[in-house]
């Protein structure tokens, strides 16, 4: 036999792919995942009192729950990338390359090979996931947060369950995908399907609650969420499909492209394993309309992304360089990053507020929020009363233990620069992040790298589409 050891050990070694995903690389990937999750947690902490505190409070807490919760989601994203990058080697593309046909002729059983392949892949996934999980906990220990063991096993099972489901779904889809590119699309679709299931079946409401996650049996309570029940049913169905489908596909042998046994007058057609395109052997391949569409879309995407990133950087620089009397004005609107809680709940802290730029003739009514200048400092307050050319203003939200009315002012009409017209919490958080060290590097470095390497990126996508 070709392999002296069992098929399971062959899958673990992945000897036929030059150790591209060897054990050493898997351990390095696990270490990277833990470090990346820990670093990302620190980046997220710079966005406190932003929209993230309301939308995803579970990753904003000073606790092991936040760091581990962040890790299990990053691990899922990493494995999706891992599956897509090594799709040829991890799933059932080898059946179409006759690997299973030849092994079956030598006595290997298709059922045993499927089980071996599935468990070997799950072993690799669990190894990376588990080591990264431990690394994240160890790094969080350095922050001296209160160590609560009860929700750690539950969080571990949550991430592991997602990875199991993505793995079996990707393996199943690979048996029906006729090309590698389509198979990679289906792998991404598997992850999207799981995300939709977790939302629609109420799974996220459970796993984002630190109190409920301290009881591992909460995950399996069908009254709260049927996600795990549906997941088990999908896994069993996918395993059965893989068993029968892989066995049937392995019965057929694909004729080599250099075979000289064709009848007279017949032409040999080669099918590209990655794209599924047909071409005559020896003929010059021509780029079809699909290839031209991919080329055009890729080029447009790079151009739009680079321009948008550069425009956003320019926008951030202008806002940071704004001074009273010289505010940034975009189509008659003054963007203003609100950094206090004095106008809550109308304007939240770290919101990007919009003010309509006005002149001295614009009528201002009582109750409106205005942007005005006093002693070369910009303020945002609400108009309480108006007497002639004088406006009496005050803030909406006084901090606890503060004297109500202490911030009342009287400003002249000429000092008003704009009238409040709206806000955007997400843009405010994005600008807040862009002003951090990591944000500055990311928003400046990424478009610069894309601009410099856009030729190579274009060639990569063009090669993949051919």
């Amino acid at each position: 036999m070709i392999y002296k050891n069992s098929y399971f050990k062959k899958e673990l070694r992945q000897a036929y792919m030059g150790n591209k995903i060897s054990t050493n690389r898997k351990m390095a990937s696990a270490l990277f995942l833990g470090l990346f999750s820990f670093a990302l947690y620190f980046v997220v902490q710079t966005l406190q009192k932003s929209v993230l505190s309301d939308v995803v409070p579970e990753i904003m807490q000073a606790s092991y729950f936040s760091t581990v919760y962040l890790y299990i989601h990053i691990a899922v994203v990493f494995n999706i990338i891992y599956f897509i990058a090594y799709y040829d080697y991890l799933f059932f593309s080898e059946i179409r390359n006759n690997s299973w046909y030849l092994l079956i002729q030598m006595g290997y059983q298709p059922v045993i090979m499927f089980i071996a392949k599935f468990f070997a892949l799950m072993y690799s996934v669990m190894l990376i996931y588990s080591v990264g999980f431990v690394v994240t906990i160890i790094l969080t220990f350095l922050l001296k947060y209160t160590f609560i063991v009860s929700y750690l096993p539950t969080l571990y099972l949550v991430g592991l369950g997602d990875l199991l489901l993505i793995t079996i779904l990707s393996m199943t889809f690979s048996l029906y995908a006729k090309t590698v590119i389509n198979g990679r699309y289906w792998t991404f679709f598997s992850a999207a399907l799981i995300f939709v299931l977790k939302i629609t079946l109420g799974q996220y409401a459970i796993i984002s609650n630190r109190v409920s996650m301290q009881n591992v049996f909460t995950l399996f309570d069908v009254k709260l969420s049927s996600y795990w029940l549906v997941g088990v049913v999908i896994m069993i169905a996918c395993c059965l499909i893989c068993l029968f489908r892989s066995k049937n596909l392995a019965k057929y042998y694909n004729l080599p492209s250099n075979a000289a046994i064709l009848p007279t007058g017949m032409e040999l057609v080669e099918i590209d394993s990655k794209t599924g395109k047909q071409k005559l052997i020896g003929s010059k391949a021509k780029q079809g309309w699909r290839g031209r569409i991919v080329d055009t879309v890729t080029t447009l995407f790079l151009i739009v992304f680079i321009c948008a990133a550069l425009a956003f950087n320019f926008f951030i620089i202008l806002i940071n360089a704004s001074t009273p009397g010289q505010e940034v004005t975009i189509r008659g609107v003054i963007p203003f990053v609100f950094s206090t809680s004095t106008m809550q709940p109308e304007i939240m802290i770290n919101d990007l507020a919009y003010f309509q730029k006005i002149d001295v003739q614009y009528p201002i009514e009582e109750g409106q929020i205005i942007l005005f200048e006093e002693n070369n400092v910009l303020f945002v307050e609400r108009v309480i009363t108006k007497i002639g050319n004088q406006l009496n203003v005050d803030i909406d939200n006084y901090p606890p233990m503060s004297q109500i009315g202490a911030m009342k002012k009287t400003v002249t009409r000429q000092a008003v620069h704009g009238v409040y017209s709206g806000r955007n919490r997400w843009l405010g958080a994005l600008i807040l992040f862009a002003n951090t060290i990591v944000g500055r590097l990311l928003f400046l470095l990424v478009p610069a790298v894309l601009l410099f390497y856009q030729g190579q990126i274009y060639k990569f996508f063009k090669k993949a589409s051919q």
Side-chain angles (χ1 to χ4, degrees), residues 232-258:
V232 170
V233 172
I234 291 175
M235 287 187 63
I236 293 174
C238 286
C239 285
L240 293 175
I241 292 172
C242 285
L243 284 173
F244 290 104
R245 178 72 175 174
S246 59
K247 183 178 180 180
N248 289 333
L249 284 179
K251 292 179 181 178
Y252 302 100
Y253 184 80
N254 296 318
L255 190 66
S257 59
N258 59 352

Side-chain angles (χ1 to χ4, degrees), residues 56-75:
V56 281
E58 55 270 17
I59 67 173
M60 305 297 289
Q61 304 166 13
S63 68
Y64 282 84
F65 184 86
S66 293
T67 56
V68 175
Y69 184 89
L70 200 58
Y71 168 76
I72 63 176
H73 287 83
I74 291 174

Side-chain angles (χ1 to χ4, degrees), residues 44 53 166:
V44 169
S53 299
I166 291 174

Side-chain angles (χ1 to χ4, degrees), residues 90-210:
L90 298 176
F91 301 124
F92 289 117
S93 296
E94 58 183 19
I95 293 181
R96 301 184 185 280
N97 296 329
N98 301 321
S99 297
W100 276 34
Y101 180 88
L102 297 175
L103 290 175
I104 289 173
Q105 305 308 311
M106 289 187 252
Y108 285 90
Q109 295 296 322
V111 173
I112 301 301
M113 287 195 290
F114 161 72
I115 294 174
K117 190 172 188 68
F118 175 72
F119 281 102
L121 178 56
M122 280 313 307
Y123 170 82
S124 299
V125 169
M126 288 180 63
L127 176 66
I128 297 173
Y129 174 73
S130 301
V131 174
F133 191 90
V134 173
V135 170
T136 303
I137 293 176
I138 293 174
L139 291 174
T140 308
F141 179 77
L142 301 176
L143 300 178
K144 298 182 179 179
Y145 291 157
T146 302
F147 186 66
I148 301 176
V149 181
S150 54
Y151 52 62
L152 295 181
T154 314
L155 285 172
Y156 179 84
L157 286 177
V158 169
L160 184 60
D162 291 344
L163 293 177
L164 279 168
L165 200 50
I166 291 174
T167 301
I168 190 62
L169 280 172
S170 299
M171 294 188 79
T172 305
F173 287 143
S174 71
L175 289 168
Y176 293 90
K178 295 183 179 179
T179 67
V180 173
I181 292 177
N182 289 340
R184 287 169 174 163
Y185 288 153
W186 280 111
T187 300
F188 179 80
F189 172 75
S190 302
L193 176 63
I194 292 173
F195 179 74
V196 171
L197 281 176
K198 293 181 76 171
I199 293 178
T200 55
L201 297 179
Q203 179 73 352
Y204 267 115
I206 297 175
I207 65 176
S208 60
N209 189 320
R210 186 167 60 172

Side-chain angles (χ1 to χ4, degrees), residues 31 37 46 105 119 135 203 213 232 245 257 277 283 332 338 355 363 375 403 442 454 457 463:
L31 180 61
S37 302
T46 63
Q105 305 308 311
F119 281 102
V135 170
Q203 179 73 352
M213 288 292 284
V232 170
R245 178 72 175 174
S257 59
K277 295 180 179 179
S283 64
F338 204 71
F355 293 86
N375 298 326
Q403 183 179 357
L442 182 63
Q454 61 89 19
I457 295 172
K463 182 179 178 180

Side-chain angles (χ1 to χ4, degrees), residues 211-396:
V211 176
S212 64
M213 288 292 284
Q214 294 185 29
N215 182 2
V216 69
F217 296 103
T218 304
L219 289 177
F220 311 106
D221 190 343
V222 181
K223 295 180 180 179
L224 297 176
S225 173
S226 58
Y227 172 76
W228 280 84
L229 177 61
V230 172
V232 170
V233 172
I234 291 175
M235 287 187 63
I236 293 174
C238 286
C239 285
L240 293 175
I241 292 172
C242 285
L243 284 173
F244 290 104
R245 178 72 175 174
S246 59
K247 183 178 180 180
N248 289 333
L249 284 179
K251 292 179 181 178
Y252 302 100
Y253 184 80
N254 296 318
L255 190 66
S257 59
N258 59 352
I261 59 175
L262 294 176
T264 305
M266 299 294 291
E267 293 181 329
L268 187 62
V269 176
E270 180 180 359
I271 300 179
D272 193 296
S273 62
K274 292 187 176 182
T275 64
K277 295 180 179 179
Q278 298 182 1
K279 62 180 180 179
L280 295 176
I281 302 301
S283 64
K284 186 176 181 181
K286 296 182 179 180
Q287 187 183 36
W289 61 271
R290 292 184 180 179
R292 291 193 295 271
I293 291 177
V294 172
D295 292 346
T296 304
V297 171
T298 302
T299 304
L300 288 177
F301 175 79
L302 286 174
I303 293 173
V304 170
F305 184 83
I306 292 172
C307 291
L310 293 175
F312 185 74
N313 276 298
F314 183 68
F315 177 66
I316 298 296
I317 293 172
L318 286 179
I319 290 181
N320 291 337
S322 295
T323 58
Q326 296 180 338
E327 303 87 5
V328 177
T329 303
I330 302 174
R331 299 181 65 87
V333 175
I334 302 173
F336 186 81
V337 179
F338 204 71
S339 57
T340 72
S341 59
T342 56
M343 296 305 295
Q344 290 182 353
E346 184 76 19
I347 308 176
M348 304 296 290
I349 187 170
N350 291 323
D351 283 358
L352 179 64
Y354 306 120
F355 293 86
Q356 180 184 348
K357 188 175 180 61
I358 60 175
D359 55 25
V360 292
Q361 304 299 324
Y362 187 90
I364 296 179
E365 306 296 335
E366 294 181 0
Q368 288 183 311
I369 299 175
I370 61 173
L371 174 70
F372 63 93
E373 178 185 347
E374 184 181 66
N375 298 326
N376 204 32
V377 178
L378 291 175
F379 292 91
V380 175
E381 298 189 24
R382 190 183 298 275
V383 177
I384 306 301
T385 59
K386 182 177 68 171
I387 304 174
N389 199 34
Q390 302 293 316
L391 302 173
N392 295 320
V393 298
D394 196 7
I395 62 175
D396 287 353

Side-chain angles (χ1 to χ4, degrees), residues 30-45:
L31 180 61
F32 168 78
L33 277 180
L35 290 171
F36 181 77
S37 302
F38 194 64
L40 186 60
Y41 172 74
F42 276 105
V43 172
V44 169
Q45 294 308 299

